[in-house]
Amino acid sequence: MTVEKTPLEGCLLIKPQVFKDDRGSFFESYNHKLFQEKTGLNVNFIQDNQSISQRGALRGIHLQTGENAQAKLVRVVQGEVLDVAVDLRKGSSTFGKTYSIILNEENNFQLFIPKGFGHGFITLSKTAIFAYKCDNYYHKTSEAGVIYNDPMLNIDWQLPKEEFILSPKDQEHPTLEEFKS
């Protein structure tokens, strides 16, 4: 496994070693000891989540706040998504900056998203199975977010907006400016 820093402080791209042969492929999707050695982080993931989404499903930009903040390790099991991390840590040198990457079943990349970051993705393939580990339990009262189409974030979601499928909740998040205050 290799670990690459992204332009966002603390956000890391994880590239597992994939073994391929006539039968198909194999890789370790997570190894706590190796993760700790390669990242220098001792993250205790305690909850695994999975979503299945159709093309155009845009989920985000979400985060948990306060004592319920979550670090996440995200990946795609099947299909392809554009994954987006937004640094929402007030006082961070990269506050308000975004990082996006294609995650799919071919590259098997994973993205480590630290606590205090917003996260979202859009499904680019017909369907996608998206899996993620969290280091804290979900608490409804700690939900927060930033609107997906905030001009200050200027995220290129790589699909025409007519194809977006959004929940009502994801259409009501505040702007980055409103989130700051």
Side-chain angles (χ1 to χ4, degrees), residues 89-109:
R89 300 170 300 177
K90 295 174 183 166
S92 167
S93 64
T94 55
F95 177 84
K97 304 289 185 206
T98 66
Y99 174 76
S100 61
I101 187 153
I102 299 287
L103 302 178
N104 61 41
E105 65 190 74
E106 296 299 317
N107 65 28
N108 296 301
F109 293 170

Side-chain angles (χ1 to χ4, degrees), residues 13-124:
L13 181 62
I14 313 293
K15 296 181 176 179
Q17 185 176 9
V18 180
F19 301 93
K20 296 182 180 184
D21 62 23
D22 298 2
R23 301 167 293 170
S25 65
F26 169 86
F27 71 98
E28 283 185 341
S29 60
Y30 182 73
N31 176 314
H32 182 77
K33 182 179 176 186
L34 190 58
F35 182 85
Q36 188 174 7
E37 285 174 12
K38 297 282 188 168
T39 65
L41 301 170
N42 186 17
V43 181
N44 182 28
F45 293 114
I46 59 171
Q47 181 175 318
D48 281 5
N49 300 324
Q50 180 172 299
S51 68
I52 300 173
S53 302
Q54 62 185 344
R55 180 179 172 85
L58 194 160
R59 298 179 185 263
I61 297 168
H62 307 141
L63 75 153
Q64 295 269 136
T65 60
E67 66 184 29
N68 298 311
Q70 296 176 322
K72 297 176 183 175
L73 182 62
V74 303
R75 70 187 187 98
V76 167
V77 176
Q78 177 268 316
E80 181 172 84
V81 308
L82 175 74
D83 199 63
V84 177
V86 182
D87 189 346
L88 296 174
R89 300 170 300 177
K90 295 174 183 166
S92 167
S93 64
T94 55
F95 177 84
K97 304 289 185 206
T98 66
Y99 174 76
S100 61
I101 187 153
I102 299 287
L103 302 178
N104 61 41
E105 65 190 74
E106 296 299 317
N107 65 28
N108 296 301
F109 293 170
Q110 298 178 53
L111 191 63
F112 174 75
I113 303 165
K115 291 180 182 198
F117 274 62
H119 174 253
F121 69 90
I122 191 166
T123 305
L124 302 175

Side-chain angles (χ1 to χ4, degrees), residues 129-148:
I129 300 173
F130 190 85
Y132 52 106
K133 296 182 163 312
C134 300
D135 75 339
N136 208 346
Y137 297 109
Y138 168 79
H139 288 273
K140 184 165 182 56
T141 57
S142 298
E143 282 183 347
V146 173
I147 192 75
Y148 71 96

